[in-house]
Amino acid sequence: LVFTITPLRGRVRGAWLLLNAGILMNVFGDLLLSYTNLSGFYHAGHPLELFFHAGYLFFALAFYTHTKEL
């Protein structure tokens, strides 16, 4: 997946790590959201939405650090 193209060294390593963290948070949040939705426990404002917010924050930090590292 994305981990295979993450450079282990270099100037953009931090941006790639944050981007991977954002992807993982979104995937994990989506899996849990699907499970709670199917089981009937999901409601608007459920704490599982914090996974998506954290993922978007990681995306924003990844793009910010990428502009600072180049």
Side-chain angles (χ1 to χ4, degrees):
L1 291 171
V2 179
F3 294 109
T4 59
I5 60 173
T6 303
L8 298 177
R9 296 186 195 113
R11 294 184 347 194
V12 292
R13 180 178 182 227
W16 275 106
L17 291 175
L18 289 168
L19 188 65
N20 284 328
I23 291 171
L24 282 177
M25 291 298 278
N26 276 312
V27 168
F28 189 64
D30 194 33
L31 288 172
L32 288 176
L33 179 74
S34 297
Y35 176 73
T36 56
N37 198 9
L38 285 173
S39 61
F41 292 120
Y42 181 75
H43 55 83
H46 197 277
L48 286 176
E49 293 177 3
L50 292 175
F51 285 109
F52 294 107
H53 295 303
Y56 300 143
L57 182 66
F58 281 133
F59 286 142
L61 287 173
F63 293 123
Y64 176 74
T65 58
H66 182 64
T67 59
K68 295 297 178 186
E69 289 174 342
L70 292 180

